[in-house]
Amino acid sequence: RNLLMFADLNVTDVDDSTKNQLLKQYLSFGYDVIAWNTTIRKLGNQTEKCKINLPKVDNKFESFRIANGDDKRNGEFRQYTRATVVLEENSQVQFINPTNNALQSYDIVAVLPLNEKSFHVSCGSLEVDIITFDMAKKVDFPIKTPIVKQAIARGVYFEITYSSSLRDANARKHLISNSMSLVRATKGRNLILSSAAAAILEVRGPYDLINMGVLFGLSTDVSRKSITSNCASAIIHGETRNSTVKGVLKITKALPKSKSKEKEDKMEVED
């Protein structure tokens, strides 16, 4: 089941009240995995570690999720933490490294390159799990297959986010155009589809997203992978990246616990 769950790896880390509303929405849509995302615009050695609080899952909504799955769901609902570093200045790149304790405190690390140079570096060498884009605007650098292949070869995933396009017709045009360019460059490989939602009206169900992927040029099967097995692989990539930094390489097909969840479990044992 682990590699066949429905996932959204980009849910905005909002206030607790909105976070609980979002959590209920994801459970009611039958999702199995979400990642709460915080955006870092100025990364440095003094950047604070992850402070994302994972909301508790209400049992009645967990039962609802299991009942609404496309087949029997026997795995627990999982939440992860994610940081997305905006690469506006090329000098930011130097801080994305295995010694940055702030980044290592997140389960998933993504970058959002805003220029061609930072995009090339992201694909070629940065130790990250996901490369994402501002899909509401025209990506003003070429996304070329030879560059993209470097990231794919390293197990890095490319992300399409859709929520901003729900607010504006012009943004919708950019989303479709940018997504089709990305699909062509990747040939449908290593893609994930996420919401970047900050409110419940910005969340769509898994089957709506599969149809959206088809609109962008993916086959139904590949589109489904963009919200299932590809997301699982991105999470495992993050776990492997962090384990390698610590000098312990783990090879696993099962989804790891979130770092925040591991801390909670440890505190409960100590109490």
Side-chain angles (χ1 to χ4, degrees):
R1 272 304 297 167
N2 276 332
L3 296 183
L4 295 175
M5 80 299 169
F6 291 131
D8 186 341
L9 298 189
N10 191 344
V11 187
T12 305
D13 184 40
V14 288
D15 62 88
D16 288 346
S17 175
T18 307
K19 192 179 283 186
N20 283 322
Q21 291 175 10
L22 279 165
L23 180 62
K24 290 175 183 177
Q25 186 79 323
Y26 278 102
L27 289 167
S28 70
F29 275 145
Y31 281 88
D32 303 286
V33 174
I34 59 174
W36 298 99
N37 178 67
T38 187
T39 299
I40 301 174
R41 299 193 177 277
K42 292 290 181 185
L43 179 67
N45 288 325
Q46 303 303 314
T47 301
E48 290 185 336
K49 290 185 178 181
C50 176
K51 288 188 174 181
I52 296 173
N53 292 317
L54 302 181
K56 292 192 174 178
V57 179
D58 189 311
N59 286 336
K60 70 178 180 182
F61 286 102
E62 172 70 358
S63 301
F64 188 82
R65 172 183 73 91
I66 292 169
N68 279 278
D70 58 348
D71 51 26
K72 286 190 177 180
R73 309 252 169 144
N74 51 21
E76 65 175 302
F77 183 80
R78 289 181 181 265
Q79 302 178 74
Y80 295 91
T81 60
R82 163 177 162 169
T84 299
V85 182
V86 179
L87 298 179
E88 190 165 7
E89 300 171 6
N90 294 327
S91 58
Q92 290 281 87
V93 168
Q94 65 180 305
F95 297 109
I96 301 176
N97 60 63
T99 63
N100 191 304
N101 292 327
L103 292 185
Q104 295 305 322
S105 66
Y106 292 89
D107 298 307
I108 301 166
V109 175
V111 286
L112 196 167
L114 297 182
N115 57 60
E116 189 171 10
K117 185 174 181 181
S118 60
F119 174 62
H120 284 201
V121 174
S122 299
C123 289
S125 61
L126 287 190
E127 291 295 325
V128 298
D129 311 307
I130 295 170
I131 298 171
T132 191
F133 306 88
D134 183 352
M135 287 290 179
K137 300 175 183 175
K138 185 180 186 306
V139 176
D140 44 359
F141 51 83
I143 302 175
K144 296 179 179 177
T145 300
I147 303 300
V148 163
K149 274 184 174 179
Q150 295 176 29
I152 292 173
R154 298 190 301 114
V156 178
Y157 285 78
F158 293 93
E159 180 179 62
I160 295 171
T161 56
Y162 64 84
S163 66
S164 57
S165 69
L166 302 175
R167 308 171 200 140
D168 177 78
N170 203 38
R172 255 191 306 280
K173 292 178 184 175
H174 289 310
L175 169 67
I176 294 170
S177 174
N178 292 332
S179 299
M180 291 177 76
S181 295
L182 190 56
V183 167
R184 281 195 298 271
T186 60
K187 302 188 189 305
R189 296 174 62 200
N190 286 42
L191 285 177
I192 63 173
L193 191 52
S194 310
S195 68
I200 58 172
L201 293 177
E202 297 174 351
V203 181
R204 293 293 180 267
Y207 296 103
D208 287 339
L209 295 191
I210 292 170
N211 291 333
M212 190 183 293
V214 171
L215 173 67
F216 299 150
L218 298 173
S219 68
T220 302
D221 182 54
V222 172
S223 185
R224 186 183 179 90
K225 285 180 180 177
S226 73
I227 57 169
T228 56
S229 56
N230 286 0
C231 296
S233 297
I235 293 167
I236 292 169
H237 186 274
E239 170 70 0
T240 304
R241 172 179 48 76
N242 280 318
S243 298
T244 304
V245 167
K246 295 169 187 172
V248 182
L249 180 59
K250 297 179 188 174
I251 302 297
T252 178
K253 289 187 178 179
L255 289 184
K257 283 186 178 180
S258 165
K259 293 177 187 298
S260 297
K261 179 66 177 168
E262 284 178 350
K263 284 180 187 175
E264 284 177 18
D265 291 347
K266 187 177 179 183
M267 287 170 68
E268 285 175 9
V269 170
E270 288 174 349
D271 289 346

